[in-house]
Amino acid sequence: LCGDGSASDLILRICQDTGESVEIREYKRLTPLLPEDQSLSGSLKKIQEGDCVIAFSRREIFRLQKAIVRATGSGVAVVYGGLPPETRSQQAILFNDTKSKFGILVASDAVGMGLKLNIR
């Protein structure tokens, strides 16, 4: 499992009740996570190169990808947990390459798992 540390006690209890073993690893964020000063106010045209938009279903990821392409004219890379590892890596490479036309990323909440992404 991957998630917020506040769930650790619950996960430990569930594993104890079911007889499962569990190992908890905690990782420190290397860079601060800071919200923008202003929201998009419903306008996808305000999304900039280097931005990552998070969605919580594959259908929503692809809906947002199409809408952002229409609104910005930029290429949009896509990353979600169900993608084959090679495809996830290729999408990350496209997003990270400043010479590519895929400067925006739409991803699931599993975006950071195993990928190094240059999100603004």
Side-chain angles (χ1 to χ4, degrees):
L1 296 173
C2 179
D4 187 72
S6 65
S8 297
D9 289 340
L10 176 62
I11 300 300
L12 284 170
R13 286 196 310 267
I14 290 171
C15 289
Q16 287 171 347
D17 289 349
T18 59
E20 296 291 328
S21 62
V22 64
E23 175 184 339
I24 295 180
R25 296 182 188 177
E26 294 185 28
Y27 299 93
K28 267 192 159 176
R29 176 177 287 282
L30 299 176
T31 57
L33 181 61
L34 302 171
E36 290 291 326
D37 293 333
Q38 296 180 330
S39 76
L40 297 176
S41 299
S43 175
L44 296 177
K45 290 180 181 181
K46 295 180 181 179
I47 293 175
Q48 302 172 27
E49 298 282 315
D51 283 350
C52 177
V53 177
I54 303 297
F56 295 95
S57 74
R58 197 169 66 200
R59 177 179 288 158
E60 183 66 6
I61 288 169
F62 287 111
R63 186 195 70 74
L64 277 168
Q65 178 195 33
K66 289 176 186 173
I68 292 168
V69 168
R70 279 193 304 271
T72 66
S74 295
V76 178
V78 170
V79 172
Y80 58 92
L83 278 177
E86 302 83 22
T87 306
R88 288 182 79 209
S89 293
Q90 289 171 343
Q91 291 290 297
I93 289 167
L94 284 172
F95 174 71
N96 286 335
D97 182 357
T98 57
K99 294 177 184 153
S100 96
K101 296 182 180 179
F102 292 84
I104 298 169
L105 179 65
V106 177
S108 72
D109 56 340
V111 66
M113 296 172 47
L115 295 173
K116 183 174 180 173
L117 297 164
N118 297 325
I119 296 171
R120 159 180 103 75

